[in-house]
Amino acid sequence: MSDTFFRPVSGFDLPRFAGIPTFMRLPHIGFDHPRFSEVDIGLVGVPWDAGTTNRPGPRHGPRQLRDMSTMIRAQNGATGIRPFELVNCADLGDVGPNPANLEDSLARITAFYGRLVEAGIRPLSAGGDHLCSLPILRALAKDRPLGMIHFDSHTDLFNSYFGGMKFTHGTPFRRAIEEGLLDPKRVVQIGIRGTAYDSEDREFAAGVGVRVIPIEEFFDRGVDDVMAEARAIVGAAATYVSYDIDFVDPAFAPGTGTPEVGGPTSFQALQVARLLDGVSIAGADLVEVSPPFDQSGGTAFLGVSILFELLCNMARNVRASGS
Ligand code: MN
Ligand code: MN
């Protein structure tokens, strides 16, 4: 770990509305940068939404999230954590997808993340639709299955869509469990709600031991109790955190393709991320921000605020483990 951290550009050196937007105003460090090997946590954009089955747009997410992330300052207002002084954080740029070929895009994303795994970099990703999580997991869980804490309105555990299509943003975690990338008994899904085609996803979850916490239970028990159970389910072993912005009520996050009413507030959205303290986060993502449906930019701002909470916990965890 380096003693000379990559620092975000301070708003006192250059106002936050000026300059080229990178994630949280961090330096852009590509694979060929001389200090690439010093990166501990890499922010990555995955501008790809070929898994979307209804209203598209998350391919535009990373650019809008980078722009709104210039609003983020260096210190967490609630916890006091200053992540950029704990470990080396950098903007690693975007994965280049192939917008004309789904399978090739999956392979390109896995190859990109494979290079991060080789370099010992923990990725914090900005989607993209939720299918992006599958090729990321193929790289991160190559050697052993991960646990997962998953915030979403939807389980994303369906088998197929529209006549056998196996790769959509409604299927990534079904595939990940089938491929041995996730240990289903260490997977918890929080916030599930909305109308459904059927119960196939929930029956699959029950059959393999995935814990589903519907939104009614979330509100009955409260954030602290639910998150204590989530931490207990994943335990001390390596865990992926996947955060679909449609977990949040569309009053606070309208800019997404598949909104479901009756969800958590923006405050609760930050609280749950904050309560991941102590979880061994091997990687995390924030997906499904769709700028075409986000006219105020407020959904993207909430998205980057969640990314910052995730980053704070990852930085503290990496620093504590000394890796
Ligand atoms: Mn999802
Ligand atoms: Mn969803």
Side-chain angles (χ1 to χ4, degrees):
M1 199 174 298
S2 169
D3 292 318
T4 48
F5 294 115
F6 301 134
R7 298 297 180 108
V9 177
S10 167
F12 297 130
D13 294 331
L14 183 68
R16 287 185 290 149
F17 50 81
I20 296 167
T22 56
F23 281 122
M24 301 179 196
R25 311 193 86 198
L26 288 161
H28 172 219
I29 307 284
F31 289 125
D32 54 0
H33 191 283
R35 296 186 66 190
F36 175 73
S37 64
E38 295 175 39
V39 178
D40 299 302
I41 297 175
L43 286 109
V44 180
V46 190
W48 187 59
D49 59 14
T52 301
T53 54
N54 192 354
R55 307 192 304 171
R59 69 179 57 184
H60 304 293
R63 186 163 289 177
Q64 171 77 337
L65 289 161
R66 276 195 180 84
D67 193 9
M68 295 309 288
S69 78
T70 59
M71 300 282 277
I72 300 291
R73 304 179 186 87
Q75 180 168 309
N76 189 308
T79 64
I81 296 175
R82 297 174 66 84
F84 310 118
E85 295 164 27
L86 292 175
V87 295
N88 260 337
C89 307
D91 184 336
L92 303 184
D94 283 349
V95 182
N98 176 348
N101 188 314
L102 188 148
E103 303 265 353
D104 185 36
S105 294
L106 291 171
R108 286 168 183 236
I109 296 167
T110 300
F112 186 103
Y113 282 83
R115 296 181 72 173
L116 306 194
V117 171
E118 269 174 33
I121 297 171
R122 296 194 201 196
L124 177 57
S125 307
D129 71 33
H130 223 151
L131 182 56
C132 294
S133 302
L134 176 65
I136 294 172
L137 285 168
R138 283 175 174 168
L140 266 55
K142 180 168 53 76
D143 299 325
R144 79 293 188 224
L146 298 171
M148 180 172 73
I149 298 178
H150 171 200
F151 303 100
D152 206 321
S153 285
H154 316 98
T155 64
D156 298 346
L157 287 174
F158 284 96
N159 184 41
S160 64
Y161 185 80
F162 225 80
M165 184 56 212
K166 294 271 194 179
F167 299 104
T168 79
H169 66 163
T171 68
F173 302 121
R174 179 75 158 257
R175 298 288 92 79
I177 289 169
E178 288 170 354
E179 294 178 23
L181 307 172
L182 293 172
D183 173 0
K185 297 197 165 43
R186 292 182 54 236
V187 172
V188 54
Q189 305 187 304
I190 303 169
I192 309 305
R193 63 184 184 273
T195 56
Y197 293 111
D198 54 38
S199 300
E200 186 222 330
D201 60 328
R202 302 288 279 273
E203 287 157 12
F204 174 80
V208 296
V210 169
R211 172 78 166 108
V212 176
I213 301 180
I215 199 67
E216 292 78 13
E217 184 181 344
F218 177 86
F219 282 122
D220 281 349
R221 291 172 56 193
V223 170
D224 287 321
D225 193 34
V226 164
M227 291 310 298
E229 184 190 349
R231 291 193 303 269
I233 287 170
V234 298
T239 296
Y240 194 71
V241 177
S242 196
Y243 203 126
D244 185 327
I245 196 71
D246 72 30
F247 168 74
V248 188
D249 191 277
F252 301 91
T256 193
T258 320
E260 305 291 353
V261 296
T265 65
S266 58
F267 178 68
Q268 291 164 327
L270 300 179
Q271 259 188 316
V272 294
R274 216 168 271 156
L275 287 167
L276 297 168
D277 55 301
V279 175
S280 178
I281 302 175
D285 61 42
L286 183 281
V287 297
E288 298 284 357
V289 171
S290 181
F293 294 100
D294 186 24
Q295 295 306 310
S296 72
T299 308
F301 182 47
L302 176 58
V304 294
S305 302
I306 291 166
L307 280 170
F308 184 72
E309 294 292 341
L310 295 172
L311 179 66
C312 287
N313 272 326
M314 289 173 73
R316 191 164 55 177
N317 189 245
V318 171
R319 179 62 175 251
S321 68
S323 60

